[in-house]
């Protein structure tokens, strides 16, 4: 009898049982009436972004029906790579949100939720790494007049932006870090906090800082050169115009990335420091901004396309320019 009383007292002192994993968390929004205000805007942005990604790919191939993909300009190829990342991300995330919206429960079975988590990490990191390379390429092109080499058929670029995230995703999957976060499937809301910090929050914060710094330096250098040319009434060479157009095009990818993922970095830092006081507004902001990548990158594509068209009209003689015998004209690949 005394043992039973002591056990009962001990259990009441401990309070509710400890959370085992994300499936023990309540579904976000059901208890405070914010369930649909989270998932409906998220699904709206996701489907608009998915449509935009598909449209960007279709317009890209329609614009270059007879040219091999490897002969496209860098900016044109970047648009397709970004659209692939956006499309795959949106496809997986739409299934995730739809499942939760319809059932009002976490995603089951657990393996399906883990699959969604792997997809999200793979293509989020792929975008981050690719845009970082874009920022570095724009910087080296503007400051040192050199461009990065991506290997035949971009194999180095593709291995880095898709292969490395896949390796990290498999490691996180083996360590059982994926699961329900409470609002969607990503890193497990109970056991995956540390993995989320080191695999998403920390690298995203660093990449955002690096990209922003490179963008500011690159843009300042570009404006300085163009201002000097304007004051001296100097005329830009065709090669210089192409290089500056390339820098502007690449800079748009950097700005789009900052716009899309800044809230995710802030969210991750807040969760790591003090998850108890996480404001609902930040959660809703993440679900909006992180899901509009396809829309933003479609806008980037259309802006680049218009600039290239205008440039072709202003400098019709560039295609007839001469080049030294035995050299390869690579200026077009910069844009």
């Amino acid at each position: 009898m005394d043992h039973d009383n002591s056990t009962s007292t001990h259990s009441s002192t401990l309070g509710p049982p400890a959370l085992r994993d994300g499936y023990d968390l309540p579904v976000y929004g059901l208890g405070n009436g914010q369930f649909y205000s989270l998932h409906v805007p998220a699904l709206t942005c996701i489907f608009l972004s998915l449509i935009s990604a598909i449209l960007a790919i279709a317009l890209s191939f329609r614009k270059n029906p007879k040219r091999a993909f490897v002969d496209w300009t860098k900016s044109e190829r970047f648009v397709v790579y970004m659209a692939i990342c956006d499309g795959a991300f949106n496809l997986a995330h739409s299934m995730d949100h739809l499942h939760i919206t319809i059932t009002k429960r976490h995603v089951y079975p657990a393996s399906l939720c883990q699959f969604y988590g792997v997809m999200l990490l793979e293509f989020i990191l792929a975008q981050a790494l690719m845009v970082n390379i874009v920022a570095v390429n724009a910087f080296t092109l503007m400051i040192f007049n050199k461009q990065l080499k991506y290997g035949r058929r971009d194999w180095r670029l593709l291995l880095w932006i898709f292969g490395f995230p896949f390796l990290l995703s498999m490691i996180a999957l083996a360590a059982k870090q994926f699961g329900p976060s409470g609002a969607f499937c990503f890193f497990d809301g109970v056991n995956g906090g540390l993995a989320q910090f080191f695999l998403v929050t920390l690298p995203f914060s660093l990449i955002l800082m690096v990209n922003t710094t490179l963008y500011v330096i690159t843009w300042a250098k570009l404006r300085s050169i163009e201002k000097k040319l304007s004051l001296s009434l100097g005329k830009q060479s065709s090669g210089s115009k192409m290089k500056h157009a390339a820098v502007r095009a690449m800079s748009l990818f950097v700005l789009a990335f900052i716009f899309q993922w800044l809230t995710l970095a802030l969210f991750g830092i807040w969760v790591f420091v003090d998850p108890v006081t996480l404001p609902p507004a930040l959660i809703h902001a993440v679900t909006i901004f992180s899901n509009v990548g396809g829309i933003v990158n479609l806008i980037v594509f259309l802006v680049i396309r218009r600039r290239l068209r205008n440039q072709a009209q202003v400098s019709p003689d560039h295609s007839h320019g001469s080049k030294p015998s035995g050299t390869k004209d690579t200026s077009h690949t910069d844009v």
Side-chain angles (χ1 to χ4, degrees):
M1 186 71 176
D2 292 340
H3 176 72
D4 292 340
N5 288 338
S6 63
T7 302
S8 177
T9 304
H10 181 63
S11 299
S12 62
T13 303
L14 289 177
L19 299 176
R20 295 166 298 176
D21 55 36
Y23 282 101
D24 290 333
L25 295 173
V27 175
Y28 179 84
L30 286 179
N32 56 12
Q34 296 183 354
F35 180 80
Y36 288 109
S37 66
L38 175 79
H39 291 285
V40 172
L43 283 169
T44 301
C45 292
I46 287 170
F47 282 117
L48 288 176
S49 185
L50 179 59
I51 293 171
S52 298
I54 295 172
L55 185 60
I57 295 175
L59 290 175
S60 295
F61 280 91
R62 184 180 178 182
K63 179 178 179 290
N64 303 292
K66 297 181 180 180
R67 289 169 56 199
F69 182 73
V70 293
D71 294 328
W72 293 13
T73 66
K74 283 185 177 179
S75 295
E76 290 169 337
R77 300 201 306 273
F78 284 148
V79 167
V80 174
Y81 294 147
M82 291 293 287
I84 291 173
C85 290
D86 285 321
F89 170 84
N90 292 139
L91 190 60
H93 214 25
S94 65
M95 296 297 101
D96 173 12
H97 276 285
L98 271 175
H99 188 120
I100 298 174
T101 303
I102 294 172
T103 65
K104 294 183 175 62
R105 299 172 62 209
H106 293 304
V107 174
Y108 289 94
S111 57
L112 182 59
C113 191
Q114 292 168 355
F115 171 75
Y116 291 148
V118 168
M119 291 286 288
L120 264 59
L121 182 61
E122 166 72 17
F123 292 104
I124 286 175
L125 287 180
Q127 283 197 39
L129 294 176
M130 183 163 61
V131 175
N132 182 241
I133 289 177
V134 171
V136 173
N137 195 49
F139 176 80
T140 56
L141 183 61
M142 191 71 249
I143 305 301
F144 303 108
N145 199 30
K146 294 183 181 294
Q147 55 178 317
L148 301 180
K149 303 299 182 182
Y150 300 145
R152 182 176 175 81
R153 300 182 183 275
D154 294 339
W155 73 267
R156 292 174 184 163
L157 174 70
L158 297 177
L159 182 63
W160 173 243
I161 66 174
F162 291 119
F164 185 61
F166 179 77
L167 176 62
L168 294 180
S169 298
M170 291 300 99
I171 293 174
L173 178 63
K176 299 181 179 179
Q177 297 299 296
F178 295 115
S181 67
F184 48 83
C185 290
F186 196 28
F187 286 98
D188 188 275
V190 174
N191 303 316
L194 198 60
Q196 179 173 351
F197 178 78
F198 283 107
L199 294 181
V200 177
T201 302
L202 184 59
F204 259 70
S205 299
L206 292 175
I207 288 174
L208 280 168
M209 288 189 292
V210 170
N211 286 357
T212 303
T213 302
L214 293 179
Y215 173 81
V216 171
I217 295 174
T218 302
W219 194 255
K221 179 69 174 180
L222 176 62
R223 296 294 295 171
S224 175
I225 292 175
E226 292 187 336
K227 184 177 181 180
K228 289 179 181 179
L229 286 171
S230 176
L231 292 176
S232 63
L233 300 179
K235 185 177 181 181
Q236 282 185 291
S237 65
S238 296
S240 179
K241 289 180 180 179
M242 294 293 285
K243 183 176 76 172
H244 291 182
V247 170
R248 288 193 180 92
M250 293 178 188
S251 297
L252 287 175
F253 287 106
V254 179
L255 282 178
F257 176 81
I258 294 172
F259 175 82
Q260 182 181 1
W261 297 113
L262 179 60
T263 53
L264 180 64
L266 295 175
F267 172 83
I269 293 172
W270 199 308
V271 168
F272 185 76
V273 174
D274 187 10
V276 177
T277 63
L278 183 66
L282 184 55
I283 298 176
H284 289 260
V286 170
T287 60
I288 296 297
F289 284 95
S290 64
N291 292 320
V292 296
I295 302 171
V296 175
N297 288 314
L298 176 62
I299 294 173
V300 169
F301 166 76
L302 295 176
V303 170
I304 292 174
R305 188 179 185 182
R306 186 187 66 181
R307 287 181 176 177
L308 289 175
R309 186 183 296 115
N310 292 341
Q311 183 181 355
Q313 294 173 353
V314 173
S315 305
D317 60 323
H318 177 71
S319 59
H320 302 288
S322 61
K323 59 180 178 179
S325 177
T327 62
K328 182 180 180 181
D329 185 2
T330 58
S331 62
H332 71 284
T333 62
D334 295 337
V335 180

